[in-house]
Amino acid sequence: MSTLDNDRPLLGIGLMLGFCLLAPFADALAKLLGPEMAVGQLVTLRFAFQAAILVPLTLATGRVWRMDRRTFGYVFLRTLLHISGIGLMFSALLYLPLADAVAIAFVMPFIMLLLGYWFLGEEVGLRRITACAVGFVGTLLVVQPAFTEVGWPALLPLGVALVFALFMLVTRRIAGVTDPIGMQAVSAVIALALLLPVMALTPAERLPALEWTAPNGRGWTLITLMGIAGTFAHLLMTWSLRYAPASTLAPMQYLEIPFATAVGFAIFGDLPGPLASLGIAVTIGSGLYIVMRERAMQKARPPAPQAVHSGTPPAG
């Protein structure tokens, strides 16, 4: 049975919506922690909490986390991309407001849609392309004028966009043949195996980004919340790709921008101007269009064979 035989677009969209809600909150916590500790420490602790949550859960529920060599290769590559993407985003948040960093990075769904078409052979119709283009225009409108004054750090979210587009492409390749929780547990262990030696053996004076600072009580609270939110956000994203094509989910991810704007205002007092507000409205409109489009297409499809869609979905 192919991966696409299990596609349930509306379920995938709902899971991606959960990701869009949690991811900006985790990024906001990282931004709060940025002045207190180095990016390398934040990334390492982020994966430490992922391992602490998912490894015991995987063992307690008897989930399968063993995989063949080919799948493990994809998971290893996915982990490298995950580390790079989180590190770039945490670095960008040292210089940019939360909404600006997320908005600039949102060339990612457009890149992902094209990669899904070129490398996975996923269907990309004119309406989906149009919705992505409209959402991209909304993204550009959200970017504040201060972006032009930041300098080279403003390029960091573009790196985030490319890395996470590749990350989601790799995730899509293995989402249908691996348990999401087991895969995320393995990924956390791989990340720690890579990060801990680097953090321990690299002198901080040579690379300040890898300096280790003992967190205080407030710091541990924020780190714990960041680890939990980040872990479950990416678990929802991985799960969503199990049920819907990347080309379907790409426009939905634009909803992360208004959520990031709301979180940025609530925590940092960053209020978008009129142009950014217009962009948020355009972004929400394109996302809602995709939801309605998928609902109409699903109603128009003939009923799927019982053998494919009966029973409960895969756990995790």
Side-chain angles (χ1 to χ4, degrees), residues 20 39 51 55 72 77 104 121 125 129 144 162 184 186 196 207 214 238 241 245 248 274 278 280:
C20 293
V39 170
V55 170
F72 180 80
L77 174 59
I104 297 167
I129 292 176
Q144 298 294 323
L162 178 59
Q184 293 287 79
V186 171
L196 288 175
L207 194 56
T238 303
L241 289 168
T248 297
L278 174 61
I280 290 171

Side-chain angles (χ1 to χ4, degrees), residues 18-33 90 93 98 102 221-233 256 259-264 266-268:
F19 167 79
C20 293
L21 284 166
L22 281 178
F25 179 66
D27 288 339
L29 294 169
K31 184 174 177 62
L32 286 171
L33 288 162
F90 286 0
L93 292 172
L98 177 62
V102 172
T221 300
L222 295 178
I223 290 167
T224 301
L225 291 173
M226 179 191 71
I228 294 173
T231 296
F232 283 100
E256 188 178 344
F259 294 147
T261 302
V263 171
I267 297 178
F268 305 104

Side-chain angles (χ1 to χ4, degrees), residues 28-103:
L29 294 169
K31 184 174 177 62
L32 286 171
L33 288 162
E36 302 176 14
M37 57 190 67
V39 170
Q41 181 178 358
L42 285 176
V43 175
T44 302
L45 290 171
R46 159 69 177 78
F47 282 102
F49 273 91
Q50 180 172 321
I53 294 169
L54 297 184
V55 170
L57 181 60
T58 299
L59 296 174
T61 56
R63 281 177 161 81
V64 177
W65 64 346
R66 293 182 179 180
M67 53 192 68
D68 58 45
R69 183 175 300 179
R70 178 175 178 273
T71 302
F72 180 80
Y74 276 120
V75 172
F76 188 85
L77 174 59
R78 180 182 181 275
T79 303
L80 293 177
L81 292 169
H82 201 179
I83 293 171
S84 301
I86 290 178
L88 286 169
M89 177 56 86
F90 286 0
S91 298
L93 292 172
L94 293 173
Y95 304 96
L96 296 170
L98 177 62
D100 286 15
V102 172

Side-chain angles (χ1 to χ4, degrees), residues 28-314:
L29 294 169
K31 184 174 177 62
L32 286 171
L33 288 162
E36 302 176 14
M37 57 190 67
V39 170
Q41 181 178 358
L42 285 176
V43 175
T44 302
L45 290 171
R46 159 69 177 78
F47 282 102
F49 273 91
Q50 180 172 321
I53 294 169
L54 297 184
V55 170
L57 181 60
T58 299
L59 296 174
T61 56
R63 281 177 161 81
V64 177
W65 64 346
R66 293 182 179 180
M67 53 192 68
D68 58 45
R69 183 175 300 179
R70 178 175 178 273
T71 302
F72 180 80
Y74 276 120
V75 172
F76 188 85
L77 174 59
R78 180 182 181 275
T79 303
L80 293 177
L81 292 169
H82 201 179
I83 293 171
S84 301
I86 290 178
L88 286 169
M89 177 56 86
F90 286 0
S91 298
L93 292 172
L94 293 173
Y95 304 96
L96 296 170
L98 177 62
D100 286 15
V102 172
I104 297 167
F106 259 78
V107 293
M108 186 231 351
F110 186 66
I111 296 172
M112 191 180 71
L113 183 139
L114 295 178
L115 292 176
Y117 173 73
W118 289 331
F119 295 106
L120 299 183
E122 294 180 339
E123 181 182 355
V124 181
L126 178 60
R127 295 187 182 184
R128 284 175 176 170
I129 292 176
T130 302
C132 268
V134 172
F136 180 65
V137 171
T139 297
L140 296 179
L141 293 175
V142 174
V143 179
Q144 298 294 323
F147 162 63
T148 58
E149 302 175 3
V150 171
W152 69 266
L155 299 177
L156 291 172
L158 298 178
V160 175
L162 178 59
V163 167
F164 270 113
L166 294 170
F167 170 85
M168 295 191 71
L169 181 67
V170 174
T171 299
R172 179 61 179 171
R173 296 286 292 187
I174 58 178
V177 297
T178 58
D179 177 78
I181 291 180
M183 179 175 65
Q184 293 287 79
V186 171
S187 182
V189 172
I190 294 172
L192 290 178
L194 295 173
L195 289 169
L196 288 175
V198 173
M199 292 292 297
L201 299 175
T202 304
E205 59 270 16
R206 292 184 56 185
L207 194 56
L210 300 181
E211 181 181 2
W212 190 274
T213 305
N216 55 25
R218 172 183 175 274
W220 278 119
T221 300
L222 295 178
I223 290 167
T224 301
L225 291 173
M226 179 191 71
I228 294 173
T231 296
F232 283 100
H234 283 276
L235 184 60
L236 290 174
M237 184 273 296
T238 303
W239 220 345
S240 74
L241 289 168
R242 192 180 182 96
Y243 295 107
S247 54
T248 297
L249 298 175
M252 283 302 304
Q253 286 186 276
Y254 285 111
L255 295 176
E256 188 178 344
I257 302 172
F259 294 147
T261 302
V263 171
F265 174 68
I267 297 178
F268 305 104
D270 295 330
L271 186 64
L275 193 62
S277 299
L278 174 61
I280 290 171
V282 171
T283 300
I284 293 175
S286 67
L288 292 177
Y289 170 80
I290 291 298
V291 173
M292 292 185 291
R293 173 68 178 163
E294 285 300 329
R295 189 180 298 274
M297 290 177 65
Q298 192 165 12
K299 288 181 179 179
R301 293 190 187 106
Q306 186 71 12
V308 175
H309 290 283
S310 63
T312 58

